[in-house]
Each structure stands twice: as structure tokens, then as C-alpha cells.
Amino acid sequence: MLGMSDKLTQQVRWLANILAQSKRVACLTGAGVSAESGVATFREAGGLWEGHRPEDVATPEAFARDKEMVWRFYLARREGLLAVKPNPAHYALADLQEMCPQFDLITQNVDGLHDIAGSRDVNKLHGDIWIDRCTKCGYEQRVDTVSETIPTCAKCGALARPGIVWFGEMLPDGAIDRAARAAVAAEVMLVVGTSCLVQPAASLVVPEKLKKHNK
């Protein structure tokens, strides 16, 4: 009778064999991947939103009401991420991208750890916390340090906002369609570190819901 470790070894070998034979692979990642690096998940007790109602920090209305408070929250998030590093899962996915002829990485995370690990062309469904987006001209600037003041646009000087998707906002242009096409075309779809409860990302693992994108 096989022990748990033997069964796990068999499962890993089985998956590795399938991946080695696949030319098109897609992967959807969520907060569980970054949790291993110490990034708080959305729903965990004492986690990221503890002490802050989502409507206080993650909606366009909140930003319009109190820009300074919202920015303090996101600058604190950036400060926390400076001490965080990718974990083996991030690096494994980056390595897999190099080995697979077509590998599409789709993430619900905004922390940028996939980029740091070496993944290329990451489809970031919920945006990127390291982007400042101008509220006037729309210019986007990537930053790698934490500002001591509310960020402004490097192009026109107007107020900037975090480049992430807030509650009630649409996903980045084309992001979900691109992700759906990748999921439909994939021979293997990996789902890593996500409960698949948040839409529309959750629809990526339900083939019937993707048919309209397979054009």
C-alpha cells in the first residue's frame, strides 16, 4: 500500500509527464501563491483588509471621498511588499514558461512577484500595485520605491491613483478575453493558489463559459 509521500510523488511525476508533452499550457494564479511569500490573502483573519472596510479603501467612491487616506493604505501595502520575495512556486512557473512552447500566465495578484521571479507577459487581471496611473491623462508609470507623498503624474503633474482594479471597476481592456482565449486553447490548465470564487476569473476554469471567446 502506497504511503502519502509515495502517492504525491506519483502525482507529481504524472503531472510532469503531461506538461512535458504539452505545447500549450495556461495557468491561473491567486492569493495563495503569494501567501507563501508572506503576502496577506484577501480573506484571512488579521489579513490585508483588517481594520479597513473594502469600501473605505478599494472603490472609486472611496478615492473621490478621501484620496489621502486611500493612498496611505496603498503606500503601506507597497512598503510591506518591499520586504517580500518570490517563493519556489513563482520561480517554478517562470521556469515552466521557458520550457513550454506556449505558456500563458494569468494572475489575480497585484504584487508583481511573478515579474520579479522572471515570468514574462503576465496577464494581470486585477492590475499592478506598482503602477501609478494619472487621473487626468491616463499616463501610467511603474515605480519601484515608496513615495512619502501622494503620487502625481510624471507627465502632466495631476493626481495619480494606484494602477489596480477596484470594486465596481472593469478589468483592464482585453484582459479577460485574452485570458479566456488562452484557457480555451490550452491543452493543460493549471489553477494555483485560488479558490476560484471571484468572477470573472473563476469562469476561466469552466469550459462552457468560455465558448463565446473561442473565435
Side-chain angles (χ1 to χ4, degrees), residues 48-136:
L48 180 63
W49 303 97
E50 185 70 20
H52 296 276
R53 295 183 304 164
E55 58 267 31
D56 289 338
V57 292
T59 66
E61 294 78 14
F63 190 65
R65 185 169 57 247
D66 194 337
K67 298 174 178 60
E68 183 175 349
M69 187 273 289
V70 171
W71 257 121
R72 284 202 311 269
F73 178 76
Y74 285 98
L75 291 176
R77 286 186 66 184
R78 287 179 177 178
E79 184 73 38
L81 288 171
L82 288 177
V84 172
K85 296 181 180 180
N87 62 63
H90 293 104
Y91 288 113
L93 292 173
D95 290 342
L96 187 57
Q97 185 177 44
E98 296 301 319
M99 294 184 286
C100 185
Q102 179 63 46
F103 183 83
D104 294 283
L105 180 56
I106 308 153
T107 188
Q108 300 170 83
N109 300 336
V110 300
D111 49 50
L113 292 179
H114 283 303
D115 303 278
I116 297 173
S119 291
R120 294 173 283 102
D121 197 27
V122 182
N123 187 351
K124 302 173 183 177
L125 296 181
H126 296 162
D128 189 331
I129 197 172
W130 295 103
I131 292 290
D132 288 345
R133 181 187 306 137
C134 182
T135 57
K136 182 178 181 180

Coordinates of all heavy atoms in Angstrom, one line a residue, residues 48-136:
L48 N -5.0 41.5 5.1 CA -4.8 42.8 4.4 C -5.9 43.8 4.8 O -5.6 45.0 5.0 CB -4.7 42.6 2.9 CG -4.5 43.8 2.1 CD1 -3.2 44.5 2.4 CD2 -4.5 43.5 0.6
W49 N -7.1 43.4 4.8 CA -8.2 44.3 4.9 C -8.6 44.5 6.4 O -9.6 45.2 6.7 CB -9.4 43.8 4.1 CG -9.1 43.6 2.7 CD1 -8.8 42.5 2.1 CD2 -9.0 44.6 1.7 NE1 -8.5 42.7 0.8 CE2 -8.7 44.0 0.5 CE3 -9.3 46.0 1.7 CZ2 -8.5 44.7 -0.7 CZ3 -9.1 46.7 0.5 CH2 -8.8 46.1 -0.7
E50 N -8.0 43.9 7.3 CA -8.3 44.0 8.7 C -8.3 45.5 9.2 O -7.3 46.2 9.0 CB -7.3 43.2 9.6 CG -7.7 43.2 11.1 CD -8.9 42.3 11.4 OE1 -9.3 41.5 10.5 OE2 -9.5 42.5 12.4
G51 N -9.4 45.9 9.7 CA -9.5 47.3 10.2 C -9.9 48.3 9.1 O -10.0 49.5 9.3
H52 N -10.1 47.8 7.9 CA -10.5 48.6 6.8 C -11.6 47.9 6.0 O -11.4 46.8 5.5 CB -9.3 48.8 5.8 CG -8.2 49.6 6.3 ND1 -8.1 50.9 6.4 CD2 -7.0 49.1 6.9 CE1 -6.9 51.3 7.0 NE2 -6.3 50.2 7.2
R53 N -12.8 48.6 5.9 CA -13.8 48.1 5.1 C -13.4 48.3 3.6 O -12.8 49.3 3.3 CB -15.1 48.8 5.4 CG -15.7 48.6 6.8 CD -17.0 49.3 6.9 NE -16.9 50.7 6.6 CZ -17.9 51.6 6.3 NH1 -19.1 51.1 6.3 NH2 -17.7 52.8 6.0
P54 N -13.7 47.3 2.8 CA -13.3 47.4 1.4 C -13.8 48.8 0.8 O -13.0 49.4 0.0 CB -14.0 46.2 0.7 CG -14.0 45.2 1.8 CD -14.3 46.0 3.0
E55 N -15.0 49.2 1.1 CA -15.5 50.4 0.5 C -14.7 51.6 1.0 O -14.9 52.7 0.5 CB -17.0 50.6 0.8 CG -17.4 50.6 2.3 CD -17.7 49.2 2.8 OE1 -17.2 48.2 2.3 OE2 -18.5 49.1 3.8
D56 N -13.9 51.5 2.1 CA -13.1 52.6 2.6 C -11.8 52.8 1.8 O -11.2 53.9 1.9 CB -12.8 52.4 4.1 CG -14.0 52.5 5.0 OD1 -15.0 53.2 4.5 OD2 -14.0 52.0 6.1
V57 N -11.4 51.7 1.2 CA -10.0 51.8 0.5 C -9.9 51.3 -0.9 O -8.9 51.4 -1.5 CB -9.0 51.0 1.4 CG1 -8.8 51.7 2.7 CG2 -9.4 49.6 1.6
A58 N -11.0 50.6 -1.4 CA -10.8 50.0 -2.7 C -12.0 50.2 -3.6 O -12.5 49.3 -4.3 CB -10.6 48.5 -2.4
T59 N -12.5 51.4 -3.7 CA -13.5 51.8 -4.6 C -13.2 53.2 -5.2 O -12.6 54.0 -4.5 CB -14.9 51.8 -4.0 OG1 -15.0 52.9 -3.0 CG2 -15.3 50.5 -3.3
P60 N -13.7 53.5 -6.4 CA -13.6 54.8 -6.9 C -14.2 55.9 -6.0 O -13.7 57.0 -5.8 CB -14.3 54.8 -8.3 CG -14.2 53.3 -8.6 CD -14.4 52.6 -7.4
E61 N -15.3 55.5 -5.4 CA -16.0 56.4 -4.5 C -15.2 56.8 -3.3 O -15.1 57.9 -2.8 CB -17.4 55.8 -4.0 CG -18.4 55.6 -5.1 CD -18.1 54.4 -6.0 OE1 -17.3 53.6 -5.6 OE2 -18.7 54.3 -7.1
A62 N -14.5 55.8 -2.7 CA -13.6 56.0 -1.6 C -12.5 56.9 -1.9 O -12.1 57.8 -1.2 CB -13.0 54.7 -1.1
F63 N -11.9 56.8 -3.1 CA -10.8 57.6 -3.6 C -11.3 59.1 -3.8 O -10.6 60.0 -3.4 CB -10.2 57.1 -4.9 CG -9.0 57.7 -5.3 CD1 -7.8 57.6 -4.5 CD2 -8.9 58.5 -6.5 CE1 -6.6 58.2 -4.9 CE2 -7.7 59.1 -6.9 CZ -6.6 59.0 -6.1
A64 N -12.5 59.2 -4.3 CA -13.1 60.5 -4.5 C -13.3 61.2 -3.2 O -13.2 62.4 -3.0 CB -14.3 60.4 -5.3
R65 N -13.7 60.4 -2.2 CA -14.1 60.9 -0.9 C -12.8 61.3 0.0 O -12.8 62.3 0.6 CB -14.9 59.9 -0.1 CG -15.5 60.3 1.2 CD -16.5 59.4 1.7 NE -16.0 58.0 1.8 CZ -16.3 57.0 1.1 NH1 -17.3 57.1 0.2 NH2 -15.8 55.8 1.3
D66 N -11.8 60.5 -0.1 CA -10.6 60.7 0.8 C -9.4 60.1 0.1 O -8.9 59.0 0.4 CB -10.8 60.0 2.1 CG -9.8 60.5 3.2 OD1 -8.7 61.0 2.8 OD2 -10.1 60.4 4.4
K67 N -8.8 60.9 -0.8 CA -7.7 60.4 -1.6 C -6.5 60.2 -0.7 O -5.7 59.2 -1.0 CB -7.3 61.5 -2.7 CG -8.5 61.7 -3.7 CD -8.1 62.8 -4.6 CE -9.2 63.0 -5.7 NZ -10.5 63.3 -5.1
E68 N -6.2 61.0 0.3 CA -5.1 60.8 1.1 C -5.1 59.5 1.9 O -4.1 58.8 2.0 CB -4.9 62.0 2.1 CG -3.7 62.0 2.9 CD -3.5 63.2 3.8 OE1 -4.2 64.2 3.6 OE2 -2.6 63.2 4.7
M69 N -6.3 59.2 2.5 CA -6.4 58.0 3.3 C -6.2 56.8 2.4 O -5.6 55.8 2.8 CB -7.8 58.0 3.9 CG -8.0 56.8 4.9 SD -8.6 55.3 4.1 CE -10.3 55.8 3.7
V70 N -6.8 56.8 1.2 CA -6.7 55.6 0.3 C -5.2 55.5 -0.1 O -4.7 54.3 -0.1 CB -7.6 55.8 -0.9 CG1 -7.3 54.8 -2.0 CG2 -9.1 55.7 -0.5
W71 N -4.6 56.5 -0.4 CA -3.2 56.4 -0.8 C -2.3 56.0 0.3 O -1.3 55.2 0.1 CB -2.6 57.8 -1.4 CG -2.5 57.8 -2.9 CD1 -3.2 58.6 -3.7 CD2 -1.8 56.9 -3.7 NE1 -2.8 58.3 -5.0 CE2 -2.0 57.2 -5.0 CE3 -0.9 55.8 -3.4 CZ2 -1.4 56.6 -6.1 CZ3 -0.3 55.1 -4.5 CH2 -0.5 55.5 -5.8
R72 N -2.6 56.4 1.6 CA -1.8 55.9 2.7 C -1.9 54.4 2.8 O -0.9 53.7 3.1 CB -2.3 56.6 4.0 CG -1.9 58.0 4.2 CD -1.9 58.4 5.7 NE -3.2 58.1 6.3 CZ -4.3 58.9 6.4 NH1 -4.2 60.1 5.8 NH2 -5.4 58.5 7.0
F73 N -3.1 53.9 2.6 CA -3.3 52.5 2.6 C -2.5 51.7 1.6 O -1.8 50.7 1.9 CB -4.8 52.1 2.4 CG -5.1 50.7 2.5 CD1 -5.2 50.0 3.6 CD2 -5.4 50.0 1.3 CE1 -5.5 48.6 3.7 CE2 -5.7 48.7 1.3 CZ -5.7 48.0 2.5
Y74 N -2.5 52.2 0.4 CA -1.7 51.5 -0.7 C -0.2 51.8 -0.6 O 0.6 50.9 -1.0 CB -2.3 51.9 -2.1 CG -3.6 51.3 -2.3 CD1 -4.8 51.9 -2.1 CD2 -3.7 49.9 -2.7 CE1 -6.0 51.3 -2.3 CE2 -4.9 49.3 -2.9 CZ -6.1 50.0 -2.6 OH -7.3 49.3 -2.8
L75 N 0.2 52.9 -0.1 CA 1.6 53.1 0.1 C 2.1 52.2 1.2 O 3.3 51.7 1.1 CB 1.9 54.6 0.5 CG 1.7 55.6 -0.7 CD1 1.9 57.0 -0.2 CD2 2.6 55.3 -1.9
A76 N 1.3 51.9 2.2 CA 1.6 51.0 3.2 C 1.7 49.5 2.7 O 2.6 48.8 3.0 CB 0.6 51.0 4.4
R77 N 0.8 49.2 1.7 CA 0.9 47.9 1.1 C 2.2 47.8 0.3 O 2.9 46.8 0.3 CB -0.3 47.7 0.1 CG -1.6 47.4 0.8 CD -2.7 47.1 -0.3 NE -2.4 45.9 -1.0 CZ -3.1 45.4 -2.0 NH1 -4.2 46.1 -2.4 NH2 -2.8 44.3 -2.6
R78 N 2.6 48.8 -0.4 CA 3.9 48.8 -1.2 C 5.0 48.7 -0.2 O 6.0 47.9 -0.5 CB 4.0 50.1 -2.0 CG 3.1 50.2 -3.2 CD 3.3 51.5 -3.9 NE 2.5 51.6 -5.1 CZ 2.4 52.6 -6.0 NH1 3.1 53.7 -5.7 NH2 1.6 52.6 -7.0
E79 N 5.0 49.4 0.9 CA 6.1 49.3 1.8 C 6.2 47.9 2.3 O 7.4 47.3 2.4 CB 5.8 50.2 3.0 CG 6.9 50.3 4.1 CD 8.1 51.1 3.6 OE1 7.9 52.1 2.9 OE2 9.2 50.7 3.9
G80 N 5.1 47.2 2.6 CA 5.2 45.8 3.0 C 5.7 44.9 2.0 O 6.5 43.9 2.3
L81 N 5.4 45.1 0.7 CA 5.9 44.3 -0.4 C 7.4 44.4 -0.6 O 8.0 43.5 -1.2 CB 5.1 44.6 -1.6 CG 3.6 44.1 -1.6 CD1 2.9 44.6 -2.9 CD2 3.6 42.6 -1.6
L82 N 8.0 45.5 -0.2 CA 9.4 45.7 -0.5 C 10.2 44.6 0.2 O 11.3 44.3 -0.2 CB 9.9 47.1 0.0 CG 9.4 48.3 -0.8 CD1 9.9 49.6 -0.2 CD2 10.0 48.2 -2.2
A83 N 9.7 44.1 1.3 CA 10.5 43.1 2.1 C 10.1 41.6 1.6 O 10.6 40.7 2.2 CB 10.2 43.2 3.6
V84 N 9.2 41.5 0.6 CA 8.7 40.2 0.2 C 9.4 39.7 -1.0 O 9.7 40.5 -1.9 CB 7.2 40.3 0.0 CG1 6.7 39.0 -0.7 CG2 6.4 40.6 1.2
K85 N 9.7 38.5 -1.1 CA 10.4 37.9 -2.2 C 9.6 36.7 -2.8 O 8.8 36.1 -2.1 CB 11.8 37.3 -1.8 CG 12.7 38.4 -1.3 CD 14.1 37.8 -1.0 CE 15.1 38.9 -0.5 NZ 16.4 38.3 -0.1
P86 N 9.8 36.5 -4.1 CA 9.1 35.3 -4.7 C 9.5 34.0 -4.0 O 10.5 33.9 -3.5 CB 9.6 35.3 -6.2 CG 10.1 36.7 -6.4 CD 10.6 37.2 -5.1
N87 N 8.5 33.1 -4.1 CA 8.8 31.8 -3.5 C 9.0 30.7 -4.6 O 8.9 31.1 -5.8 CB 7.7 31.4 -2.5 CG 6.3 31.3 -3.2 OD1 6.1 30.4 -4.0 ND2 5.4 32.2 -2.8
P88 N 9.3 29.5 -4.2 CA 9.5 28.5 -5.3 C 8.4 28.3 -6.3 O 8.7 28.0 -7.5 CB 9.7 27.2 -4.4 CG 10.3 27.7 -3.2 CD 9.6 29.0 -2.9
A89 N 7.1 28.6 -5.9 CA 6.0 28.5 -6.9 C 6.2 29.5 -8.0 O 6.0 29.2 -9.2 CB 4.7 28.7 -6.2
H90 N 6.5 30.7 -7.6 CA 6.8 31.8 -8.6 C 7.9 31.4 -9.6 O 7.7 31.5 -10.8 CB 7.1 33.1 -8.0 CG 6.0 33.7 -7.1 ND1 6.0 33.7 -5.8 CD2 4.9 34.4 -7.5 CE1 5.0 34.3 -5.3 NE2 4.3 34.8 -6.3
Y91 N 9.0 30.9 -9.0 CA 10.1 30.5 -9.9 C 9.8 29.3 -10.7 O 10.2 29.2 -11.9 CB 11.3 30.3 -9.0 CG 11.9 31.5 -8.4 CD1 11.9 31.7 -7.0 CD2 12.5 32.5 -9.2 CE1 12.4 32.9 -6.5 CE2 13.0 33.7 -8.7 CZ 13.0 33.9 -7.3 OH 13.5 35.0 -6.8
A92 N 9.0 28.4 -10.2 CA 8.7 27.2 -11.0 C 7.8 27.5 -12.2 O 8.0 27.0 -13.3 CB 7.9 26.2 -10.1
L93 N 6.9 28.5 -12.0 CA 6.1 28.9 -13.1 C 6.9 29.7 -14.2 O 6.7 29.6 -15.4 CB 4.9 29.8 -12.6 CG 3.9 29.0 -11.8 CD1 2.9 30.0 -11.2 CD2 3.2 28.0 -12.7
A94 N 7.9 30.5 -13.7 CA 8.8 31.2 -14.6 C 9.6 30.1 -15.4 O 9.8 30.3 -16.6 CB 9.7 32.1 -13.9
D95 N 10.1 29.1 -14.8 CA 10.9 28.1 -15.4 C 10.0 27.3 -16.4 O 10.4 27.0 -17.5 CB 11.4 27.1 -14.4 CG 12.6 27.7 -13.6 OD1 13.1 28.7 -14.0 OD2 12.8 27.1 -12.5
L96 N 8.7 27.0 -16.1 CA 7.8 26.3 -16.9 C 7.6 27.1 -18.2 O 7.4 26.5 -19.3 CB 6.5 26.0 -16.2 CG 5.5 25.1 -16.9 CD1 6.1 23.8 -17.3 CD2 4.3 24.9 -16.0
Q97 N 7.5 28.4 -18.1 CA 7.3 29.3 -19.3 C 8.5 29.1 -20.2 O 8.2 29.1 -21.5 CB 7.2 30.7 -18.8 CG 6.8 31.7 -20.0 CD 6.6 33.1 -19.5 OE1 7.4 33.6 -18.7 NE2 5.6 33.7 -20.0
E98 N 9.7 29.0 -19.7 CA 10.8 28.8 -20.6 C 10.8 27.4 -21.3 O 11.3 27.3 -22.4 CB 12.1 28.9 -19.8 CG 12.3 30.3 -19.2 CD 12.4 31.4 -20.3 OE1 13.0 31.2 -21.3 OE2 11.8 32.5 -20.0
M99 N 10.2 26.4 -20.7 CA 10.2 25.1 -21.2 C 9.1 24.8 -22.2 O 9.1 23.9 -23.0 CB 10.2 24.0 -20.1 CG 11.5 24.1 -19.2 SD 11.5 22.8 -18.0 CE 10.3 23.4 -16.8
C100 N 8.0 25.5 -22.0 CA 6.8 25.3 -22.8 C 6.7 26.2 -24.0 O 6.9 27.4 -23.9 CB 5.5 25.5 -21.9 SG 4.0 25.1 -22.7
P101 N 6.4 25.6 -25.2 CA 6.3 26.4 -26.4 C 5.3 27.6 -26.3 O 5.6 28.7 -26.8 CB 5.8 25.4 -27.5 CG 6.3 24.1 -27.0 CD 6.2 24.2 -25.5
Q102 N 4.2 27.4 -25.6 CA 3.2 28.4 -25.4 C 2.7 28.3 -24.0 O 2.0 27.4 -23.6 CB 2.1 28.4 -26.4 CG 1.0 29.4 -26.2 CD 1.5 30.8 -26.4 OE1 2.2 31.1 -27.4 NE2 1.2 31.8 -25.5
F103 N 3.1 29.3 -23.2 CA 2.7 29.3 -21.8 C 2.1 30.7 -21.4 O 2.7 31.7 -21.6 CB 3.9 29.1 -20.9 CG 3.5 29.0 -19.4 CD1 3.1 27.8 -18.9 CD2 3.6 30.1 -18.6 CE1 2.8 27.7 -17.5 CE2 3.3 30.0 -17.2 CZ 2.9 28.8 -16.7
D104 N 0.8 30.6 -21.0 CA 0.1 31.9 -20.7 C -0.2 31.9 -19.2 O -0.9 31.1 -18.6 CB -1.3 31.9 -21.4 CG -1.1 32.0 -22.9 OD1 -0.8 33.1 -23.4 OD2 -1.3 31.0 -23.6
L105 N 0.4 32.9 -18.5 CA 0.3 33.1 -17.1 C -0.7 34.2 -16.8 O -0.5 35.4 -17.2 CB 1.6 33.4 -16.5 CG 1.6 33.6 -14.9 CD1 1.0 32.4 -14.2 CD2 3.0 33.9 -14.4
I106 N -1.8 33.8 -16.1 CA -2.9 34.8 -15.8 C -2.9 34.9 -14.3 O -3.0 33.8 -13.6 CB -4.2 34.2 -16.3 CG1 -4.1 33.9 -17.8 CG2 -5.4 35.2 -16.1 CD1 -5.1 32.8 -18.2
T107 N -2.9 36.1 -13.7 CA -2.9 36.2 -12.3 C -4.0 37.2 -11.8 O -4.3 38.2 -12.5 CB -1.5 36.6 -11.7 OG1 -1.5 36.5 -10.3 CG2 -1.1 38.0 -12.2
Q108 N -4.5 36.9 -10.6 CA -5.4 37.8 -9.9 C -4.6 38.7 -9.0 O -5.2 39.6 -8.3 CB -6.5 37.0 -9.2 CG -7.3 36.2 -10.1 CD -8.2 35.2 -9.3 OE1 -9.3 35.6 -8.9 NE2 -7.8 34.0 -9.1
N109 N -3.3 38.4 -8.8 CA -2.5 39.1 -7.8 C -2.0 40.4 -8.4 O -1.8 40.5 -9.6 CB -1.3 38.2 -7.4 CG -1.7 36.9 -6.8 OD1 -2.8 36.9 -6.2 ND2 -0.9 35.9 -6.8
V110 N -1.7 41.4 -7.5 CA -1.3 42.7 -8.0 C 0.1 43.0 -7.5 O 0.6 44.1 -7.7 CB -2.3 43.8 -7.5 CG1 -3.7 43.6 -8.1 CG2 -2.3 43.9 -6.0
D111 N 0.8 42.1 -6.8 CA 2.0 42.3 -6.1 C 3.3 42.4 -6.9 O 4.3 42.8 -6.5 CB 2.2 41.3 -4.9 CG 2.0 39.9 -5.4 OD1 2.6 39.5 -6.4 OD2 1.2 39.1 -4.8
G112 N 3.2 41.8 -8.2 CA 4.4 41.9 -9.1 C 5.4 40.8 -8.8 O 6.5 40.8 -9.5
L113 N 5.1 39.8 -8.0 CA 6.1 38.8 -7.6 C 6.4 37.9 -8.8 O 7.5 37.3 -9.0 CB 5.6 38.0 -6.4 CG 5.6 38.7 -5.1 CD1 5.1 37.9 -4.0 CD2 7.0 39.3 -4.8
H114 N 5.4 37.6 -9.7 CA 5.6 36.8 -10.9 C 6.7 37.5 -11.8 O 7.6 36.8 -12.3 CB 4.3 36.6 -11.7 CG 3.4 35.6 -11.1 ND1 3.8 34.3 -10.9 CD2 2.1 35.7 -10.7 CE1 2.8 33.6 -10.4 NE2 1.7 34.5 -10.3
D115 N 6.6 38.8 -11.9 CA 7.6 39.6 -12.7 C 9.0 39.4 -12.1 O 10.0 39.2 -12.8 CB 7.2 41.0 -12.8 CG 5.8 41.2 -13.4 OD1 5.7 41.2 -14.6 OD2 4.9 41.4 -12.6
I116 N 9.1 39.6 -10.8 CA 10.4 39.5 -10.1 C 11.0 38.1 -10.3 O 12.2 38.0 -10.5 CB 10.2 39.9 -8.6 CG1 9.8 41.3 -8.5 CG2 11.6 39.7 -7.9 CD1 9.4 41.7 -7.0
A117 N 10.1 37.1 -10.3 CA 10.6 35.7 -10.5 C 11.1 35.4 -11.9 O 11.7 34.4 -12.2 CB 9.5 34.7 -10.1
G118 N 10.7 36.3 -12.8 CA 11.2 36.1 -14.2 C 10.1 35.8 -15.2 O 10.4 35.6 -16.4
S119 N 8.8 35.7 -14.8 CA 7.8 35.4 -15.8 C 7.6 36.6 -16.7 O 7.8 37.8 -16.3 CB 6.4 35.2 -15.0 OG 6.5 33.9 -14.3
R120 N 7.3 36.3 -18.0 CA 7.1 37.4 -19.0 C 5.7 37.5 -19.4 O 4.9 36.5 -19.4 CB 8.0 37.0 -20.2 CG 9.5 37.1 -19.9 CD 10.3 36.5 -21.1 NE 10.3 35.1 -21.2 CZ 9.6 34.4 -22.0 NH1 8.7 35.0 -22.8 NH2 9.6 33.1 -22.0
D121 N 5.3 38.7 -19.8 CA 4.0 39.0 -20.4 C 2.9 38.4 -19.5 O 1.9 37.7 -20.0 CB 3.9 38.3 -21.8 CG 2.8 38.9 -22.6 OD1 2.4 40.0 -22.4 OD2 2.3 38.2 -23.5
V122 N 2.9 38.7 -18.2 CA 1.9 38.2 -17.3 C 0.6 39.0 -17.5 O 0.6 40.2 -17.6 CB 2.4 38.4 -15.8 CG1 1.3 37.9 -14.9 CG2 3.7 37.7 -15.6
N123 N -0.5 38.3 -17.7 CA -1.8 38.9 -17.8 C -2.4 39.1 -16.4 O -2.9 38.3 -15.7 CB -2.7 37.9 -18.6 CG -4.1 38.6 -18.9 OD1 -4.4 39.6 -18.5 ND2 -4.9 37.9 -19.8
K124 N -2.3 40.4 -16.0 CA -2.7 40.8 -14.7 C -4.1 41.3 -14.7 O -4.4 42.5 -14.9 CB -1.7 41.9 -14.2 CG -0.3 41.5 -14.2 CD 0.7 42.6 -13.8 CE 2.1 42.1 -13.9 NZ 3.1 43.2 -13.6
L125 N -5.0 40.4 -14.3 CA -6.5 40.7 -14.4 C -6.9 41.8 -13.5 O -7.8 42.6 -13.8 CB -7.3 39.5 -14.0 CG -7.2 38.2 -15.0 CD1 -8.1 37.1 -14.5 CD2 -7.5 38.6 -16.4
H126 N -6.2 42.0 -12.3 CA -6.6 43.0 -11.4 C -5.6 44.1 -11.3 O -5.7 44.9 -10.3 CB -6.8 42.3 -10.0 CG -7.9 41.4 -10.0 ND1 -8.1 40.4 -9.0 CD2 -9.0 41.2 -10.8 CE1 -9.1 39.7 -9.2 NE2 -9.7 40.1 -10.3
G127 N -4.8 44.3 -12.3 CA -3.8 45.4 -12.3 C -2.5 45.1 -11.6 O -2.2 44.0 -11.3
D128 N -1.8 46.2 -11.3 CA -0.5 46.1 -10.7 C -0.3 47.2 -9.7 O -0.5 48.4 -10.0 CB 0.5 46.3 -11.8 CG 2.0 46.0 -11.4 OD1 2.3 46.2 -10.2 OD2 2.8 45.6 -12.2
I129 N -0.1 46.9 -8.4 CA 0.1 47.9 -7.4 C 1.3 48.8 -7.6 O 1.3 49.9 -7.0 CB 0.1 47.2 -6.0 CG1 -0.2 48.2 -4.9 CG2 1.4 46.5 -5.8 CD1 -0.4 47.6 -3.5
W130 N 2.2 48.4 -8.4 CA 3.4 49.2 -8.6 C 3.3 50.1 -9.8 O 4.2 50.7 -10.3 CB 4.6 48.3 -8.8 CG 4.9 47.5 -7.6 CD1 4.7 46.2 -7.3 CD2 5.6 48.0 -6.4 NE1 5.1 45.9 -6.1 CE2 5.6 46.9 -5.5 CE3 6.1 49.3 -6.0 CZ2 6.2 47.1 -4.2 CZ3 6.6 49.4 -4.8 CH2 6.7 48.3 -3.9
I131 N 2.0 50.4 -10.2 CA 1.8 51.3 -11.3 C 1.0 52.5 -10.7 O 0.1 52.4 -10.0 CB 0.9 50.7 -12.4 CG1 1.6 49.6 -13.2 CG2 0.3 51.7 -13.4 CD1 2.8 50.1 -14.0
D132 N 1.5 53.7 -11.1 CA 0.8 54.9 -10.8 C 0.1 55.3 -12.1 O 0.7 55.5 -13.1 CB 1.7 56.1 -10.4 CG 2.3 55.9 -9.0 OD1 1.8 55.0 -8.2 OD2 3.3 56.5 -8.7
R133 N -1.2 55.5 -12.0 CA -2.0 55.9 -13.2 C -2.6 57.3 -13.0 O -3.3 57.6 -12.0 CB -3.1 54.9 -13.5 CG -3.9 55.3 -14.7 CD -5.2 54.4 -14.9 NE -4.7 53.0 -14.8 CZ -5.4 52.0 -14.2 NH1 -6.5 52.4 -13.4 NH2 -5.0 50.8 -14.2
C134 N -2.3 58.2 -14.0 CA -2.8 59.6 -13.9 C -4.3 59.6 -14.0 O -4.9 59.0 -14.8 CB -2.2 60.4 -15.0 SG -2.7 62.2 -14.9
T135 N -4.9 60.4 -13.1 CA -6.4 60.5 -13.1 C -6.9 61.5 -14.1 O -8.1 61.6 -14.4 CB -6.9 61.0 -11.7 OG1 -6.3 62.2 -11.4 CG2 -6.6 59.9 -10.6
K136 N -5.9 62.2 -14.8 CA -6.3 63.2 -15.8 C -6.0 62.7 -17.2 O -6.9 62.6 -18.0 CB -5.6 64.5 -15.5 CG -6.0 65.6 -16.5 CD -5.3 66.9 -16.1 CE -5.7 68.0 -17.1 NZ -5.0 69.3 -16.8

